Amino acid sequence: MAKAGGTTIREFFLSSPNVIVAPRVKFSDILPKIKLWVTGDFQKNQTLMVEIHDGLNPSYVDIASIIDRLRSQAHANKVPFFVFTTVREPLSHAISFYNFEHLDGGRGGRYVTGKPTEEDLIKILIPNMQCLFVARGDIAMWKDWATLKFGLTDEECEEAYNVIVKTMDWVGTTERMSNETLPLLASILTGDPSKGIEMKPKNVQNKKKKDTIIKENLSSHAIDHIWNITRVDSEWYQKIQRDYVMSMWNLTNI
């Protein structure tokens, strides 16, 4: 999920021994390597980390059936297979996304450019971005594909959430990453959850921007607007914390 702690997670894998971190390329480009990996064609104790993050990748809903088939092949060959993501509290996510992607051209000018004002924030923010990302992909938020963001329904978001629950082993929150997701990943990789707790979160910013939107400075009108347009994401955030709990895992040293 974009702007939900992916850089911290990637840095964690990069710092972990015996982990091959795949480059951020199109899913179709890395898929042959994954297919080969799930056959067991790799050195013992190695881990392949693949991030389906943004760009021209299909949505997670679109590739979920492929993920299921890969999982079945991996299990048949006794290859460990773990699928996860993180979600973020919607108000913080909206502000972070706006600051990073919409100010000063963002990354490569793919998103509508705005100013660090409440007026532009309210005008530009896209409703329920986290559901949209899963259901239709990051491209739905690009300015050149603007029509993809329209007409997102509660039913489509419910279907997307059900796909997550069916196919993902874990969904954490950005806010509890240091206490949950990173220790869980560390336990899987090394058997020692404490190595995840030691990882310091990375705060990635748009280095070109001069001014940003600060949550504490927003008016009640702006905050109410964000909550109104992230109703489904807020529901997701609550359900994730209900459906994915650390008691699912038997971890020690945490």
Side-chain angles (χ1 to χ4, degrees):
M1 196 77 70
K3 300 310 296 174
T7 299
T8 298
I9 291 171
R10 188 174 183 85
E11 288 293 324
F12 171 75
F13 278 105
L14 286 168
S15 66
S16 299
N18 301 318
V19 175
I20 298 173
V21 178
R24 285 174 170 168
V25 296
K26 291 182 181 179
F27 181 67
S28 57
D29 291 340
I30 196 64
L31 184 57
K33 184 175 183 67
I34 303 174
K35 288 181 175 179
L36 186 62
W37 195 276
V38 297
T39 66
D41 186 14
F42 57 90
Q43 294 182 11
K44 186 178 180 181
N45 296 326
Q46 281 190 330
T47 297
L48 174 67
M49 183 271 195
V50 176
E51 183 181 8
I52 307 168
H53 186 66
D54 61 5
L56 293 173
N57 281 306
S59 73
Y60 185 75
V61 166
D62 288 336
I63 65 170
S65 60
I66 299 174
I67 299 295
D68 261 354
R69 290 195 295 271
L70 291 169
R71 184 193 301 277
S72 296
Q73 293 171 330
H75 286 178
N77 293 308
K78 296 182 170 51
V79 175
F81 194 86
F82 188 80
V83 183
F84 74 98
T85 192
T86 53
V87 297
R88 188 169 181 177
E89 179 270 305
L91 179 61
S92 296
H93 178 264
I95 295 170
S96 177
F97 193 94
Y98 184 83
N99 283 335
F100 192 78
E101 300 291 12
H102 293 292
L103 296 184
D104 297 306
R107 291 180 295 167
R110 295 184 298 187
Y111 304 86
V112 174
T113 299
K115 299 176 182 178
T117 64
E118 281 195 9
E119 181 181 6
D120 272 10
L121 176 75
I122 291 172
K123 181 174 65 176
I124 291 173
L125 275 181
I126 299 169
N128 298 306
M129 287 187 289
Q130 296 183 82
C131 168
L132 185 65
F133 182 88
V134 175
R136 300 184 182 179
D138 182 61
I139 196 172
M141 293 177 275
W142 291 17
K143 63 183 180 182
D144 292 337
W145 297 79
T147 55
L148 285 177
K149 70 184 178 184
F150 297 124
L152 185 71
T153 65
D154 286 1
E155 291 75 20
E156 190 175 353
C157 286
E158 182 177 3
E159 177 188 356
Y161 186 82
N162 289 336
V163 168
I164 286 176
V165 172
K166 179 183 176 183
T167 60
M168 287 199 175
D169 301 285
W170 173 255
V171 183
T173 66
T174 306
E175 289 70 27
R176 292 191 55 79
M177 181 183 297
S178 296
N179 297 319
E180 294 183 344
T181 300
L182 290 175
L184 175 58
L185 295 175
S187 179
I188 293 170
L189 289 175
T190 69
D192 184 1
S194 67
K195 294 187 180 300
I197 298 174
E198 296 167 1
M199 182 73 186
K200 302 299 182 184
K202 304 290 182 181
N203 184 18
V204 179
Q205 298 291 340
N206 180 345
K207 294 186 172 116
K208 292 188 296 180
K209 67 183 184 307
K210 297 178 182 178
D211 299 305
T212 60
I213 297 291
I214 300 173
K215 179 166 62 175
E216 289 74 17
N217 293 342
L218 289 177
S219 68
S220 59
H221 170 67
I223 291 175
D224 287 345
H225 172 77
I226 295 173
W227 283 124
N228 286 335
I229 68 169
T230 60
R231 175 184 57 81
V232 174
D233 281 359
S234 297
E235 293 172 357
W236 273 32
Y237 189 73
Q238 297 302 319
K239 289 194 290 187
I240 289 295
Q241 294 177 88
R242 177 198 70 196
D243 295 337
Y244 290 88
V245 293
M246 286 299 284
S247 59
M248 295 166 58
W249 312 94
N250 182 23
L251 302 185
T252 58
N253 300 328
I254 186 172

